[in-house]
Amino acid sequence: MSFAPVYDDRSRALILGTWPSPKSREMAFYYGHPQNRFWPLLAALTGEPLPVREDIAAKKQLLLRHGLALWDTLESCTITGASDASIRDVVPNDIAGLLRKAPIRAVFCNGATAYRIYTKYQQPLTGIPAVRLPSTSPANAACSPARLEALWGAALVDWIVK
């Protein structure tokens, strides 16, 4: 099963991953692999200090302070390791249901697989087109941290509450 979504009544933008990696499942929270660039990227974009890796409450508060929500596109799937290419037997999360609970008006996908799954299963239900952003995964070594910050920053600039 996936993790619960992180959101509140001030969340305006939803960031979607695909499915928790083995390291994330071990930590019981999103982007738990120490080499994943998600949390350093969000800290840079929000001007916040980087939360300690194990401090889940601080990570949630970083998101919520800035009007962001976080979830995965999949409720369950069959996967080998952390390889998105191996995903099968997908059961999508109820993203449309989440959007009825929060004032989310924009959807951003962390990588191509999250984007593909969202556009196939959820966009017809939500009516909100997603923005595909480069993956923060360490497997996406072709995209430097500076390039990630530039691309994510340009996409999220109007959605991050400062």
Side-chain angles (χ1 to χ4, degrees), residues 23-42:
K23 286 284 187 194
S24 295
R25 291 191 302 271
E26 190 178 290
M27 271 191 72
F29 198 64
Y30 301 93
Y31 304 106
H33 193 289
Q35 292 176 325
N36 192 295
R37 299 165 295 175
F38 183 82
W39 294 111
L41 174 64
L42 273 200

Side-chain angles (χ1 to χ4, degrees), residues 71-141:
W71 207 11
D72 282 323
T73 55
L74 296 176
E75 178 183 312
S76 65
C77 67
T78 302
I79 186 170
T80 303
S83 170
D84 281 358
S86 73
I87 291 175
R88 59 187 200 290
D89 307 320
V90 303
V91 176
N93 269 319
D94 182 15
I95 294 165
L98 173 64
L99 298 183
R100 287 190 292 273
K101 298 177 194 173
I104 294 166
R105 298 292 169 257
V107 175
F108 299 90
C109 294
N110 188 351
T113 304
Y115 178 80
R116 188 178 86 269
I117 292 167
Y118 174 81
T119 56
K120 179 177 181 177
Y121 295 102
Q122 294 299 311
Q123 187 174 327
L125 303 173
T126 67
I128 298 176
V131 175
R132 176 183 162 191
L133 295 169
S135 174
T136 60
S137 167
N140 183 19

Side-chain angles (χ1 to χ4, degrees), residues 60-75:
K60 287 179 181 179
Q61 286 308 306
L62 185 150
L63 291 163
L64 298 176
R65 266 195 305 278
H66 296 283
L68 301 173
L70 180 62
W71 207 11
D72 282 323
T73 55
L74 296 176
E75 178 183 312

